[in-house]
Amino acid sequence: MKQFFVSVAKWSWFGLLMLIAFGYMASGLSEPSNDRRGEVEAASDVRLDGSPPSAVPESADAESTAGPPVDSAPREASAQSESIDRVVAAVNAARNEQLAALGLQSAPPADWMTSCRRTSLALIGSGVSLQEIRALESLPEDQRESTHLSNLMRDPRFHDYWAERWTRFIVGADEGPFIVYRRRRFRHWLSDELAANRPYDQIVRDLITAEGLWTDRPEVNFLTVTFDSNDGNPDPIRLAARTSRAFLGLRIDCLQCHNDFLGNVNLGDPVETREGRQQDFHQLAAFYSSAKTNGLQGVRTGEADYEYQYLDASETVEVAPAVPYAAELLPEEGDARSRLATWVTHRDNRQFSRAAVARFWALMFGRSATEAVDNLPLDEPLPPMLEPIVDDFVQHRDVRRTIRIIAQCDAFRVDSRATFDVTPQHEERYAVFPLTRLRAEQVAGSIVQASKIKAINRDSSLLVQLIRYGSINDFLERFGDLGENEFSKDGITIPQRLLMINGNMLREAGQPNPILNATGHINLFARDDAQAIETIYLCLLNRYPSTEERDYFIDKMTERSDRAEALEDLYWTLANSTEFTWNH
């Protein structure tokens, strides 16, 4: 009997140790990160005729913003508002000066519905819901655009959508190595950081200096995504390439194998540049050799011990960490990755702010303001409109402030149509809003949102959220996802067009389901065909139909015996239109 109890005690002790080890791996035995994600959504009634919702107060709590877009945020301090206005004025002045020098005429400002659609596509990846349009219509017209922008920037849909966009350029679009990489946790962490409006430089510092397990320290996944190419340790080469492209807007990864012989990479002093050398890349990579995997403790910081055999060299040499330009900004004290993080995010390292602003601009417009969003040579200036925004970002490092500046400038608010002949030069210089084809996730998000009367957010039923998740994932798999190359200007393919015409997602979204779909609700509650057509247009195109369009479809609907089927066909027709699948 004694031996039995001894055996039980031993196995119990062994089981306890296993549980502790498992818990350590799962949590890292470190303090949990704060959940900065605020619950900022509120539901409300929506009426097809556009009458004001009965439950919308004139001034609501600042966190109740994702339902009807009532401007409930606290008023900006007047000094901060004036400083934003000054930056916007500087951006507009630079645009006007450039257009005048080129002899280009500018189109007039777009209407408020068009501007709000652009803002929604940029910030949440879908068009404006009917619920939001009706609530905006209850406000004075001169307040609608600013109200919609303010509400979206406090909306979890914005945090989640931009977190996914950031995840793509920070760690890529692939799922990465099994077990040691948690892309979903990394994306949620970025969403929380956006919700808290943490300064951009602090987020980047956390990524470069991350320590711990990938499970409880999501920022560590920036390092562990490279484990598959370096025998279970962070890969300094891949991390150097990602750092230069994502955070500095420099393509220096070609220097990994040889010096720059074509004059494509200029480094050194930003004023007096020199050609890039192979050493520049590997000296940058050497900083990341200090990131070591330490068993169950995850990634820890050790000594930098990087070695490499350069081209035409006979043996491997030790490579000391060094930066490719502005070496005077690199601290002399501290561990390697902390020094690198300080240099990358230094206020005098203007390239960091240039890269951030260029990326935010591309996310807002759906296209890069330069040849490539991750290729901003040190010795080449940005377009004049971006320089005042860069100056402001150097000082504030505020993502929401930068978005607000871009959304309020004339380049973003100008119409895409004009009374003069629009040329490619007009679009390149933002004399008109540049037409851009929606990315796959924007097309999918817009189709699903247009199929519902209310905004799809956390207050939506679990069934609606599951349908949205499943529909979008299936659509992206079939339509194709450009991944990190999401700003590619490739045209639509025949299989993509056929998917829009014959795909299940669009067919199911347009079905006159009286419980789930907008077409079913409109068929039940619209007073007449004119109001039904008007509401379908608002759901899909975020505008009212012209008189000619309305009269045409009224005639078509009177020829049909089943109005529900006619509305389904109208939904399908508008969703397959060029206007729906392009940002304009």
Side-chain angles (χ1 to χ4, degrees):
M1 181 65 70
K2 180 179 180 181
Q3 185 177 2
F4 171 76
F5 284 112
V6 170
S7 178
V8 170
K10 287 181 178 180
W11 282 107
S12 299
W13 178 247
F14 177 76
L16 178 62
L17 290 177
M18 292 297 294
L19 287 174
I20 293 174
F22 178 79
Y24 192 84
M25 293 180 65
S27 67
L29 295 182
S30 54
E31 296 179 2
S33 58
N34 293 328
D35 184 6
R36 298 183 177 93
R37 185 189 303 264
E39 294 297 334
V40 296
E41 300 174 0
S44 69
D45 297 330
V46 177
R47 299 177 180 173
L48 297 181
D49 60 2
S51 58
S54 59
V56 178
E58 293 183 0
S59 177
D61 181 31
E63 297 298 316
S64 304
T65 58
V70 175
D71 190 8
S72 54
R75 295 284 185 182
E76 296 265 351
S78 89
Q80 181 180 4
S81 180
E82 290 175 2
S83 67
I84 290 178
D85 291 342
R86 285 196 297 270
V87 179
V88 172
V91 174
N92 293 339
R95 171 180 175 270
N96 294 336
E97 182 178 348
Q98 185 179 60
L99 295 182
L102 296 172
L104 297 177
Q105 185 178 354
S106 174
D111 62 84
W112 71 270
M113 282 188 175
T114 299
S115 293
C116 287
R117 179 178 186 262
R118 293 173 187 169
T119 306
S120 288
L121 288 171
L123 298 188
I124 63 174
S126 67
V128 190
S129 68
L130 180 66
Q131 176 190 27
E132 293 167 315
I133 291 175
R134 292 309 191 196
L136 286 171
E137 288 180 327
S138 68
L139 301 173
E141 186 169 345
D142 61 351
Q143 298 179 16
R144 294 171 185 172
E145 293 177 47
S146 60
T147 297
H148 189 57
L149 174 62
S150 296
N151 290 339
L152 287 182
M153 285 197 294
R154 297 190 302 273
D155 193 323
R157 291 179 296 170
F158 160 59
H159 309 148
D160 293 340
Y161 181 70
W162 269 50
E164 172 60 29
R165 309 271 67 76
W166 282 18
T167 299
R168 288 170 178 251
F169 78 83
I170 292 175
V171 296
D174 298 330
E175 289 304 318
F178 183 61
I179 296 179
V180 297
Y181 176 59
R182 297 289 189 271
R183 189 179 191 277
R184 180 172 173 270
R185 284 187 61 82
F186 183 80
R187 187 181 71 249
H188 286 179
W189 174 77
L190 282 176
S191 178
D192 292 342
E193 300 299 284
L194 282 167
N197 198 29
R198 282 195 74 204
Y200 181 69
D201 58 325
Q202 293 182 18
I203 297 175
V204 174
R205 281 189 60 88
D206 287 350
L207 294 172
I208 296 175
T209 62
E211 286 188 307
L213 280 172
W214 46 91
T215 50
D216 70 318
R217 296 297 187 197
E219 60 269 32
V220 175
N221 287 281
F222 173 67
L223 306 174
T224 61
V225 70
T226 67
F227 271 19
D228 57 349
S229 58
N230 198 38
D231 299 327
N233 282 296
D235 187 344
I237 290 178
R238 287 176 62 185
L239 289 169
R242 183 69 68 177
T243 297
S244 63
R245 283 200 176 204
F247 304 140
L248 300 174
L250 294 175
R251 289 184 178 178
I252 67 171
D253 33 323
C254 61
L255 301 179
Q256 175 186 344
C257 302
H258 54 76
N259 293 340
D260 175 38
F261 301 117
L262 301 177
N264 293 328
V265 182
N266 294 324
L267 300 172
D269 191 318
V271 178
E272 297 181 6
T273 57
R274 57 166 173 79
E275 68 176 16
R277 302 187 298 252
Q278 191 179 10
Q279 290 90 335
D280 292 318
F281 180 85
H282 291 285
Q283 287 172 344
L284 180 64
F287 285 99
Y288 284 106
S289 66
S290 66
K292 312 289 186 182
T293 303
N294 189 8
L296 296 179
Q297 292 185 344
V299 177
R300 296 299 180 195
T301 299
E303 295 295 325
D305 53 358
Y306 188 82
E307 293 183 348
Y308 190 79
Q309 183 175 345
Y310 289 115
L311 183 66
D312 298 329
S314 58
E315 60 183 16
T316 299
V317 297
E318 185 176 345
V319 180
V323 293
Y325 67 90
E328 68 278 4
L329 303 180
L330 182 68
E332 297 182 0
E333 303 295 331
D335 65 81
R337 286 194 291 149
S338 294
R339 294 170 62 214
L340 176 62
T342 300
W343 175 79
V344 168
T345 61
H346 200 287
R347 290 193 182 276
D348 292 335
N349 187 356
R350 188 175 178 83
Q351 189 67 16
F352 174 72
S353 296
R354 280 165 36 108
V357 170
R359 179 73 61 172
F360 300 156
W361 183 278
L363 287 171
M364 292 294 290
F365 283 88
R367 60 182 286 176
S368 175
T370 58
E371 182 179 352
V373 71
D374 59 352
N375 187 20
L376 311 172
L378 290 174
D379 54 346
E380 293 183 11
L382 290 176
M385 281 184 295
L386 270 63
E387 293 297 347
I389 309 177
V390 173
D391 293 337
D392 186 80
F393 191 80
V394 168
Q395 179 181 357
H396 296 281
R397 309 297 180 92
D398 189 327
V399 176
R400 293 186 192 176
R401 178 185 174 94
T402 304
I403 292 174
R404 187 178 292 277
I405 291 170
I406 296 174
Q408 291 180 354
C409 71
D410 290 345
F412 190 80
R413 299 181 64 250
V414 72
D415 205 338
S416 60
R417 296 174 295 182
T419 56
F420 50 83
D421 292 334
V422 177
T423 66
Q425 190 178 30
H426 285 93
E427 288 196 347
E428 291 170 2
R429 305 300 181 180
Y430 298 93
V432 297
F433 187 86
L435 299 179
T436 53
R437 189 165 67 90
L438 298 186
R439 297 187 298 273
E441 88 284 345
Q442 291 176 318
V443 175
S446 296
I447 290 174
V448 175
Q449 180 57 75
S451 70
K452 302 293 182 285
I453 294 296
K454 289 188 174 183
I456 303 177
N457 51 41
R458 292 185 188 177
D459 283 343
S460 302
S461 69
L462 180 60
L463 177 61
V464 170
Q465 295 185 55
L466 288 176
I467 291 175
R468 179 184 185 277
Y469 179 79
S471 298
I472 290 180
N473 284 348
D474 182 66
F475 181 86
L476 293 180
E477 182 179 347
R478 296 173 181 273
F479 193 83
D481 191 344
L482 294 175
E484 296 178 59
N485 301 317
E486 59 184 0
F487 299 116
S488 172
K489 299 179 182 179
D490 296 341
I492 192 170
T493 64
I494 293 177
Q496 288 173 339
R497 174 53 67 189
L498 290 175
L499 179 64
M500 290 293 293
I501 295 175
N502 301 318
N504 290 333
M505 180 181 183
L506 189 54
R507 177 176 56 81
E508 293 173 357
Q511 287 178 343
N513 186 319
I515 298 177
L516 294 176
N517 288 349
T519 50
H521 296 162
I522 294 169
N523 182 50
L524 289 174
F525 299 111
R527 293 188 304 268
D528 50 37
D529 290 347
Q531 188 186 32
I533 294 168
E534 173 188 286
T535 309
I536 287 282
Y537 263 80
L538 288 174
C539 288
L540 281 144
L541 303 183
N542 295 159
R543 68 171 177 87
Y544 286 94
S546 66
T547 302
E548 183 179 2
E549 290 170 330
R550 184 191 60 201
D551 293 344
Y552 174 84
F553 283 113
I554 287 176
D555 290 341
K556 291 297 181 182
M557 291 185 70
T558 55
E559 297 173 359
R560 304 283 293 273
S561 58
D562 190 332
R563 188 171 83 159
E565 289 186 359
L567 290 175
E568 181 181 2
D569 290 345
L570 178 57
Y571 180 98
W572 181 91
T573 300
L574 296 182
N576 275 287
S577 67
T578 301
E579 182 177 354
F580 179 77
T581 54
W582 284 70
N583 194 3
H584 53 82

